[in-house]
Amino acid sequence: TAEFKAEILERYPPKLAKKRAKQIIINKIENDDDVPEILANTRTIPGIITMRGCAYAGCKGVVLGPTRDILQITHGPIGCGFYSWLTRRNQTKPTTESDVNYMTYAMSTDLQEEEIIFGGEKKLRAAIDEAVALFHPRAIGIFATCPVGLIGDDVHAVARAMEEKYPDINIFGFSCEGYKGVSQSAGHHVANNKVFTDVVGLNDTFSKPGKFKFNILGEYNIGGDAFEIERIVADCGLSLHSTFSGNSTYDEFSSAHTVDLNVVMCHRSINYLAEMMEKKYGIPWFKVNFVGAEATSKSLRKIAQFYEDADLLKKTEEVIERELVEVEKVRLDVKSRCEGKTAVLYVGGSRAHHYQELLREIGITILSAGYEFAHRDDYEGRKVMPSIIVDADSRNIEELKVEADAVRYKPRLSEEKKASMEADGFAFSDYNGLMTEMPESSLVIDDCNHYELEELLDRYHPDLVCAGIKEKYVVQKRGIPMKQLHSYDYMGPFAGYKGAINFYKEIDRLLNCSAFKFTKAPWDESPELSATYAFN
Ligand code: CFM
Ligand code: HCA
């Protein structure tokens, strides 16, 4: 691996090589407190074919996108709205025929050259008037795109003015211009802040039946994952109040402060909200993972243990036992054909970690993995957070000062109780990151680019690549099976127990299908199509 790293860096200009050297790490884990440091959440060098997306995608597409009854208007050119129009495959299920669902619409101000020159606020106000007349929504979110920031349109001023005009509608704007940060990650933070200040805490009365009330943060119902998680937690006897934001509603968000526990699935995109809700309302949080059968069982047990209720614990064990019968049958069968195969994973900010569990369950070894845009804590664990350097790009995103709510703050656990649970090994506000769980000497690559990916494929010949749409065909044309871990290649769910079964079967199908062996890349058959990377 050291030799491979040196080879990669050798081709780069010196300044770039120096930077990438800190982002390509050979994993070494003596103990959990001693993982190597990685450089993350910094700018991609222009000219590099990155796998990343933009802040608007992280805010509108990712965090808010899966919510069905907040009417969302993209203020910008039509491409931004079109791109974030369900391409992420976030599903939703209105509870009754008459429940609204705006997700099937792509609403945008469709900015033209004229507005770029003379300003687009008038058009945005007109779009809101039109949306109100047509849909009468409870809440409207406005999302800024790059040109809107560049010409100086103020989405917040428009939101305030339109809220005066329509006092019954909660209207709020997001400063999520694509360039706002170095990746989608900036957009997550912008989204968390606004949802926290303008939505959560507004409604004290909306409630759902059940005793053990909790929210799941950072689960977006891609390919129906949230439906499977909802099924399992309901069977255990838990009361899931709100998911941020898969299959969610405005009422669930605005009353989310009434629960006793937050669990966090995707740490990268939503840990801010978990932290802020703990400070303001006294709701503790811990990390869970419903990707992988073992991880799902572990997470269910931890939630049940939190409530310390004998019936809940018993029921949870019954669900786990029941579900594992089928899971184990399929897992062992699939493992007999996949054991010993190798994989690499490059995905946004949490799946490159979570999906390692599923692959290990069927005997696959991870050679290399990395995130597009996660931060050092997602690699090395939250313990490094105090030492993360705040640079100009991260300072660009507001860090809210949060205080305990005068009326609604209610610590769900006394300090003594929390301390005694922690002494017994129950971890709160935790996340150990990806590196501690990756094999010794495996390669951890932050913001991996297409040049590095192709070099890696040539050198290591992994049996499977997991990444996104931009990587898919580069990989498949080389005759290597490729599984998209963003869109799931239009399958799913992959979370929970049924999801694990779906995933095992899919990986079995991909790895043991002989079609890939016959694939010849176009550039192998026609050398004139081949190209080399040129630097300098
Ligand atoms: Fe979290 Fe996500 Fe991901 Fe993410 Fe994303 Fe996604 Fe992803 Mo694509 S919120 S960080 S910004 S788990 S959209 S559902 S698949 S890159 S790894
Ligand atoms: C995004 C969304 C994305 C893109 C997926 C991909 C998703 O970041 O804008 O590159 O294949 O999951 O849909 O991450």
Side-chain angles (χ1 to χ4, degrees):
T1 39
E3 196 187 312
F4 172 71
K5 179 175 170 177
E7 261 174 44
I8 292 268
L9 298 179
E10 210 170 75
R11 305 264 314 273
Y12 284 138
K15 213 170 133 195
L16 176 52
K18 203 168 148 208
K19 180 169 191 284
R20 291 303 296 158
K22 296 183 200 153
Q23 293 179 282
I24 304 173
I25 302 297
I26 299 162
N27 199 35
K28 196 162 166 36
I29 15 154
E30 257 117 49
N31 57 59
D32 283 3
D33 294 328
D34 189 21
V35 290
E37 184 175 330
I38 189 163
L39 181 72
N41 191 33
T42 57
R43 293 184 188 188
T44 304
I45 305 287
I48 290 267
I49 307 178
T50 176
M51 298 178 188
R52 282 175 167 176
C54 68
Y56 163 82
C59 180
K60 197 279 180 187
V62 173
V63 179
L64 272 299
T67 306
R68 64 175 170 263
D69 60 355
I70 297 177
L71 188 142
Q72 308 189 12
I73 302 178
T74 296
H75 186 33
I78 198 63
C80 306
F82 185 79
Y83 166 74
S84 56
W85 183 22
L86 284 180
T87 46
R88 191 155 157 265
R89 302 188 61 251
N90 39 284
Q91 301 183 6
T92 201
K93 201 186 278 166
T95 33
T96 65
E97 287 268 309
S98 57
D99 278 355
V100 297
N101 176 15
Y102 305 129
M103 255 165 53
T104 51
Y105 298 92
M107 305 205 204
S108 166
T109 49
D110 183 19
L111 279 194
Q112 304 293 319
E113 281 88 342
E114 196 183 314
E115 286 95 38
I116 298 294
I117 296 163
F118 298 108
E121 290 184 7
K122 209 169 113 193
K123 202 170 188 189
L124 177 58
R125 283 194 295 272
I128 295 170
D129 281 331
E130 192 182 339
V132 172
L134 283 173
F135 298 101
H136 314 287
R138 312 260 309 277
I140 299 178
I142 308 160
F143 299 85
T145 56
C146 294
V148 161
L150 294 173
I151 64 175
D153 274 8
D154 185 345
V155 294
H156 307 292
V158 173
R160 278 192 302 273
M162 296 310 275
E163 216 169 36
E164 266 172 38
K165 186 169 177 186
Y166 302 109
D168 297 339
I169 307 176
N170 186 0
I171 305 178
F172 38 89
F174 296 85
S175 292
C176 57
E177 293 84 355
Y179 59 75
K180 192 82 185 181
V182 302
S183 68
Q184 289 94 316
S185 172
H188 300 150
H189 199 162
V190 171
N192 277 235
N193 285 352
K194 208 38 143 192
V195 167
F196 179 71
T197 55
D198 283 47
V199 183
V200 174
L202 290 183
N203 184 341
D204 293 321
T205 52
F206 179 83
S207 77
K208 291 183 175 180
K211 230 160 93 184
F212 310 109
K213 295 181 195 296
F214 75 117
N215 301 316
I216 300 181
L217 275 54
E219 161 49 53
Y220 301 97
N221 204 17
I222 311 305
D225 279 352
F227 297 148
E228 166 65 357
I229 298 169
E230 286 167 13
R231 175 186 77 87
I232 301 167
V233 298
D235 282 0
C236 291
L238 293 160
S239 173
L240 174 55
H241 186 88
S242 180
T243 301
F244 286 85
S245 54
N247 196 29
S248 62
T249 65
Y250 178 71
D251 281 339
E252 291 165 357
F253 279 8
S254 56
S255 57
H257 61 293
T258 58
V259 306
D260 294 321
L261 171 69
N262 280 332
V263 298
V264 172
M265 225 347 235
C266 169
H267 176 264
R268 180 64 269 132
S269 61
I270 211 147
N271 74 90
Y272 320 93
L273 188 61
E275 285 282 293
M276 294 190 289
M277 284 178 77
E278 175 152 30
K279 278 195 194 131
K280 186 165 178 183
Y281 302 110
I283 305 170
W285 73 269
F286 54 78
K287 174 84 175 68
V288 292
N289 177 17
F290 291 109
V291 179
E294 187 64 41
T296 301
S297 305
K298 237 168 86 183
S299 300
L300 291 174
R301 286 193 176 109
K302 189 161 178 183
I303 298 171
Q305 276 160 11
F306 170 82
Y307 291 102
E308 296 183 324
D309 180 277
D311 281 347
L312 176 65
L313 283 159
K314 184 164 163 277
K315 229 163 146 193
T316 302
E317 288 306 327
E318 283 166 9
V319 170
I320 294 173
E321 196 182 323
R322 177 193 80 196
E323 296 290 324
L324 283 182
V325 175
E326 183 64 14
V327 170
E328 279 305 281
K329 203 171 102 208
V330 178
R331 188 180 74 84
L332 293 172
D333 176 46
V334 168
K335 194 176 175 191
S336 71
R337 286 182 297 276
C338 294
E339 180 113 60
K341 305 269 192 198
T342 56
V344 300
L345 306 86
Y346 304 104
V347 209
S350 75
R351 295 184 173 188
H353 181 194
H354 289 163
Y355 276 79
Q356 293 189 26
E357 300 244 7
L358 267 176
L359 294 169
R360 279 199 298 267
E361 283 172 356
I362 47 173
I364 294 174
T365 303
I366 315 302
L367 298 176
S368 173
Y371 302 123
E372 289 171 32
F373 51 71
H375 301 197
R376 274 183 63 204
D377 34 318
D378 306 288
Y379 286 105
E380 301 168 52
R382 279 180 70 90
K383 62 187 175 298
V384 303
M385 285 176 81
S387 63
I388 293 179
I389 298 161
V390 182
D391 62 10
D393 289 315
S394 24
R395 231 189 303 273
N396 217 5
I397 317 292
E398 195 185 0
E399 196 69 55
L400 298 179
K401 302 246 175 316
V402 181
E403 282 170 12
D405 188 285
V407 184
R408 296 180 182 82
Y409 180 78
K410 187 173 78 177
R412 300 329 196 246
L413 299 169
S414 68
E415 267 178 45
E416 303 80 65
K417 177 70 189 164
K418 202 171 172 192
S420 91
M421 287 173 83
E422 280 173 333
D424 289 342
F426 197 100
F428 289 100
S429 314
D430 61 331
Y431 183 40
N432 288 334
L434 146 159
M435 279 168 146
T436 49
E437 286 185 15
M438 279 192 64
E440 188 78 23
S441 298
S442 54
L443 269 174
V444 181
I445 307 183
D446 180 62
D447 188 19
C448 184
N449 57 56
H450 276 203
Y451 156 64
E452 289 165 5
L453 176 64
E454 288 184 44
E455 292 293 313
L456 200 122
L457 299 184
D458 286 347
R459 159 77 67 139
Y460 292 100
H461 306 287
D463 297 303
L464 176 72
V465 173
C466 299
I469 190 66
K470 298 192 285 298
E471 294 73 61
K472 187 170 179 73
Y473 300 102
V474 176
V475 173
Q476 279 186 180
K477 282 178 182 173
R478 286 167 182 258
I480 301 173
M482 197 281 180
K483 185 69 203 163
Q484 291 191 66
L485 290 190
H486 299 259
S487 70
Y488 299 165
D489 294 300
Y490 326 109
M491 295 177 65
F494 289 153
Y497 297 111
K498 288 194 175 155
I501 292 172
N502 288 340
F503 193 76
Y504 302 152
K505 286 184 178 167
E506 167 68 352
I507 298 304
D508 185 21
R509 188 181 72 82
L510 279 171
L511 289 183
N512 297 302
C513 147
S514 47
F516 287 102
K517 297 190 188 77
F518 297 108
T519 310
K520 259 205 152 341
W523 53 86
D524 285 339
E525 287 184 332
S526 317
E528 69 274 18
L529 292 177
S530 68
T532 50
Y533 283 90
F535 297 98
N536 295 315

